[in-house]
Amino acid sequence: MAPRSTEERSRMDGYMKVFTAVAAYWIFSIGLVFINKYLLSSDELKLDAPLFVTWYQCLVTVFLCLGLSFLSQTFPKAISFPQMSFDQKISREVLPLSIMFVGMISFNNLCLKYVGVSFYYVGRSLTTVFNVVCTYLILGEKTSGQAIACCFLIIAGFFMGVDQEDATGSLSISGVVYGVLASLCVALNAIYTKRVLPSVGDNLWRLTMYNNLNALFLFLPLMLFSGEFGEVIYFPKLFDIVFWTVMTISGVFGFMMGYVTGWQIQATSPLTHNISGTAKAAAQTVIAVAYWSEVKTLLWWISNAVVLFGSAAYTYVQKKAMDKKSSLSNKPLDRRPLMSTKVEEEEV
């Protein structure tokens, strides 16, 4: 066999870079959902303290940001990470976003606590709809008729999914309500992120640190009023090394989501990132149904397909609109993720 040319090796390296980035995004995103599901509602733990679990994950993120900042200053040639320092003025400027951030991750985990992983994506599928509504109400930006049609498709799939989840006897009204609230907070979080980013020099890692640091204090009164301090104090596995190991892994996965999301966008494009996220949601649903041996109706699967198709179509329509706007203004395309991509995931 003849040796590969430089061009062929370069092309193969490019394919491997894309494959690795997408694989990392899928692994950390799906892994985080399953780990959180285990922590929040497994029979082995029975810890009724979702806010405490979320608070600890924020704590892990803050320590990782500070630790990587220290290591990057100590070994600048080996590690590249922005310098982290605390400024009260910046913290106050980020506070409105932090409130949305706390609501987003709290309702995400509360939704996951009460619904199955297989229904989790549909339960939080209204993010795109709220994004369109909030963008119009807060920023005054209008959306095309095609995009609005996609939103109606997502709404139809959502209600069909709720109906079919009820038909299988596994519907949790609380879980659905938390999912809707999580969707609203995700949309608001994206809008406020756009507003607050200049305060931290447009650096997402600094914003992550301030967001999670503020969240550590915002969660304290919430845990106090919800009675979670008592739940934690009397938790029988409070000093179990396995429990804290899983908790720490979930925090690391949450931190890594910020990195792999940016990595996937950089290695591909915002459109491909959205498509990958949609495909990941479909795979996550199938894996959950198979893992827990769930039996779902044909209409249940159709509802998932409708939501996934509506979300993918919305992404495509918005990307076309961005390309058209960019070509008219003769400016380079914005390489940042679309507003419809949740800080997802974000994507907890």
Side-chain angles (χ1 to χ4, degrees), residues 128-129 144-156 306-307 309-318:
T128 299
V129 178
S144 68
Q146 289 180 322
I148 293 175
C150 294
C151 289
F152 278 111
L153 195 61
I154 294 171
I155 293 172
V306 169
V307 170
F309 178 77
S311 301
Y314 175 85
T315 298
Y316 177 72
V317 168
Q318 289 295 86

Side-chain angles (χ1 to χ4, degrees), residues 87-302:
D87 187 311
Q88 290 186 359
K89 181 177 180 293
I90 296 177
S91 181
R92 288 194 299 270
E93 292 175 352
V94 175
L95 185 58
L97 171 64
S98 299
I99 294 173
M100 298 301 163
F101 174 74
V102 167
M104 178 184 72
I105 56 179
S106 297
F107 290 131
N108 269 340
N109 281 348
L110 284 167
C111 174
L112 190 57
K113 176 179 174 62
Y114 290 103
V115 305
V117 174
S118 59
F119 184 69
Y120 180 60
Y121 177 73
V122 173
R124 295 178 54 260
S125 61
L126 296 183
T127 297
T128 299
V129 178
F130 282 122
N131 186 48
V132 170
V133 174
C134 292
T135 299
Y136 176 74
L137 294 177
I138 297 175
L139 302 179
E141 298 178 6
K142 296 182 179 180
T143 307
S144 68
Q146 289 180 322
I148 293 175
C150 294
C151 289
F152 278 111
L153 195 61
I154 294 171
I155 293 172
F158 170 79
F159 280 108
M160 186 187 298
V162 171
D163 177 70
Q164 290 305 303
E165 192 76 0
D166 187 30
T168 61
S170 56
L171 178 67
S172 167
I173 299 298
S174 298
V176 172
V177 172
Y178 288 133
V180 172
L181 292 173
S183 299
L184 175 60
C185 288
V186 169
L188 290 172
N189 186 79
I191 292 173
Y192 277 90
T193 295
K194 189 176 181 180
R195 285 185 169 184
V196 171
L197 263 175
S199 299
V200 291
D202 289 326
N203 189 288
L204 285 172
W205 284 121
R206 288 197 182 96
L207 184 61
T208 296
M209 196 275 288
Y210 276 104
N211 243 346
N212 283 270
L213 188 61
N214 285 343
L216 291 179
F217 295 97
L218 291 172
F219 271 119
L220 293 178
L222 296 177
M223 289 190 290
L224 177 64
F225 293 131
S226 65
E228 288 198 5
F229 283 121
E231 290 285 344
V232 173
I233 291 173
Y234 293 105
F235 180 53
K237 294 187 178 182
L238 184 59
F239 300 102
D240 189 334
I241 187 65
V242 175
F243 167 69
W244 287 109
T245 299
V246 177
M247 286 275 284
T248 303
I249 290 174
S250 72
V252 173
F253 268 56
F255 174 83
M256 286 300 299
M257 275 302 299
Y259 176 77
V260 296
T261 298
W263 184 19
Q264 179 174 244
I265 294 170
Q266 185 181 43
T268 58
S269 69
L271 176 61
T272 305
H273 168 70
N274 280 269
I275 294 172
S276 174
T278 303
K280 185 270 303 181
Q284 179 178 288
T285 299
V286 173
I287 292 171
V289 170
Y291 182 79
W292 278 285
S293 302
E294 298 175 346
V295 178
K296 301 296 183 182
T297 64
L298 176 61
L299 286 177
W300 187 94
W301 286 106
I302 292 175

